Amino acid sequence: MNPVQQTAPPQPPDLAAALERLWQRHLPEIESRLDILDSAAAATAASALTPDQKQAAHAAAHKLAGVLGSFGLSQATDPARETERLYAADSPPSRESAARLARMAATLRSLVANHMRPQPPAK
């Protein structure tokens, strides 16, 4: 009697590796959206924000609020939503808002830059 060779059922892909692949695939688009926010904040500071820039910044912030949360960056949701809110207003953001918009864009960029980096072992 020949022993029956059993094949192990296929294992689901490693979730962390799958998320990393997705992150890497979407990272250029995420960074492009961050560039839009940086540019819009600079234009706001110079009182030169165009309606097209305002709309692009609003859309970029909205998309970042959703996608970053999906990748586990829940701390990015509030600054992205606040940025979205400021660009959604009927009037352009004030010059006084420019520094806040720049800080929120920098915060989002920092969170993205630090995401998925290996964490040091807990002590």
Side-chain angles (χ1 to χ4, degrees), residues 63-110:
K63 291 172 185 172
L64 285 169
V67 76
L68 294 178
S70 296
F71 282 110
L73 285 166
S74 59
Q75 65 272 40
T77 303
D78 287 342
R81 284 190 180 150
E82 177 66 11
T83 300
E84 177 186 7
R85 187 188 66 74
L86 287 169
Y87 286 119
D90 290 335
S91 58
S94 67
R95 271 187 94 182
E96 293 77 31
S97 297
R100 182 179 176 138
L101 288 165
R103 280 193 309 274
M104 288 187 291
T107 296
L108 292 170
R109 189 171 294 281
S110 176

Side-chain angles (χ1 to χ4, degrees), residues 11-81:
Q11 296 295 315
D14 178 45
L15 184 56
L19 284 173
E20 174 63 21
R21 285 190 302 276
L22 281 171
W23 176 256
Q24 292 304 320
R25 186 178 336 145
H26 290 283
L27 189 55
E29 189 174 4
I30 290 168
E31 289 174 335
S32 175
R33 290 176 179 150
L34 292 169
D35 292 343
I36 290 168
L37 296 184
D38 288 337
S39 180
T44 300
S47 296
L49 184 70
T50 68
D52 286 344
Q53 284 176 305
K54 182 177 177 274
Q55 189 218 5
H58 174 263
H62 175 78
K63 291 172 185 172
L64 285 169
V67 76
L68 294 178
S70 296
F71 282 110
L73 285 166
S74 59
Q75 65 272 40
T77 303
D78 287 342
R81 284 190 180 150

